[in-house]
């Protein structure tokens, strides 16, 4: 029955999405000065430039560069897990994928790679490092 598979798939995606939202919410509550999702979304142009620069850096490991390219493709694609026209949660999937990818980048290439390629302000860099769970490296 094809509709059983469809219902199971949609239900699975919703459960995963809710778990990820809870993780993002808990991460924001842990920091004394959490940035709001709206402030994080304002960083999108700088984040896209950062991702492009990191993906083109030959010093960044190949697997990380592939993940960065896939993330860029997802961000510019009109197809999302949760459509962007849905208030707040429509952009949460994008922010969550960026945070996960940046954590992976920091783990494999180091926080210096992000600091070296960051095109924005120092406050924006602190926000991005906090989003990636790296507040101890924020300058």
């Amino acid at each position: 029955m094809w509709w059983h598979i469809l219902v199971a798939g949609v239900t699975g995606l919703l459960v995963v999405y809710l778990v990820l939202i809870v993780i993002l919410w808990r991460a924001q509550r842990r920091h004394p000065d959490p940035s709001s999702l709206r402030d994080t979304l304002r960083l999108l142009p700088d984040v896209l430039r950062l991702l492009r620069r990191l993906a083109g850096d030959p010093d960044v490991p190949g697997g990380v560069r592939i993940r960065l390219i896939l993330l860029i493709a997802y961000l510019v694609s009109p197809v999302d897990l949760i459509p962007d026209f849905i208030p707040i949660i429509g952009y949460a999937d994008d922010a969550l994928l960026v945070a996960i990818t940046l954590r992976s980048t920091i783990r494999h290439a180091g926080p210096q790679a992000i600091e070296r390629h960051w095109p924005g302000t120092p406050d924006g860099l602190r926000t991005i490092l906090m989003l990636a769970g790296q507040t101890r490296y924020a300058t």
Side-chain angles (χ1 to χ4, degrees):
M1 312 282 180
W2 65 269
W3 61 275
H4 287 302
I5 295 171
L6 180 65
V7 169
V10 169
T11 302
L13 284 174
L14 287 174
V15 168
V16 168
Y17 183 72
L18 289 174
V19 168
L20 294 177
I21 292 297
V22 169
I23 291 170
L24 185 61
W25 175 74
R26 288 185 64 200
Q28 277 189 325
R29 291 185 49 109
R30 275 189 293 196
H31 299 288
D33 184 24
S35 60
S36 70
L37 185 58
R38 179 174 293 166
D39 291 338
T40 302
L41 292 175
R42 289 183 184 149
L43 296 172
L44 185 61
D46 289 336
V47 170
L48 288 175
R49 282 193 297 267
L50 170 69
L51 297 174
R52 184 180 48 79
R53 289 176 181 180
L54 286 167
D57 185 353
D59 294 334
V60 173
V64 173
R65 291 175 38 199
I66 289 171
R67 283 189 290 266
L68 290 166
I69 291 168
L70 291 173
L71 176 64
I72 292 169
Y74 177 79
L75 291 174
V76 298
S77 168
V79 178
D80 274 350
L81 291 174
I82 306 296
D84 290 340
F85 64 82
I86 298 174
I88 300 173
I89 65 169
Y91 292 105
D93 62 331
D94 296 342
L96 192 60
L97 287 173
V98 167
I100 290 168
T101 304
L102 288 177
R103 281 181 185 225
S104 173
T105 301
I106 288 172
R107 196 172 24 252
H108 293 93
Q112 300 80 14
I114 290 179
E115 292 172 357
R116 185 172 59 244
H117 292 291
W118 178 248
T121 65
D123 287 338
L125 176 61
R126 273 193 297 277
T127 300
I128 292 302
L129 290 173
M130 183 172 48
L131 181 66
Q134 300 295 319
T135 56
R136 68 178 177 262
Y137 294 110
T139 55

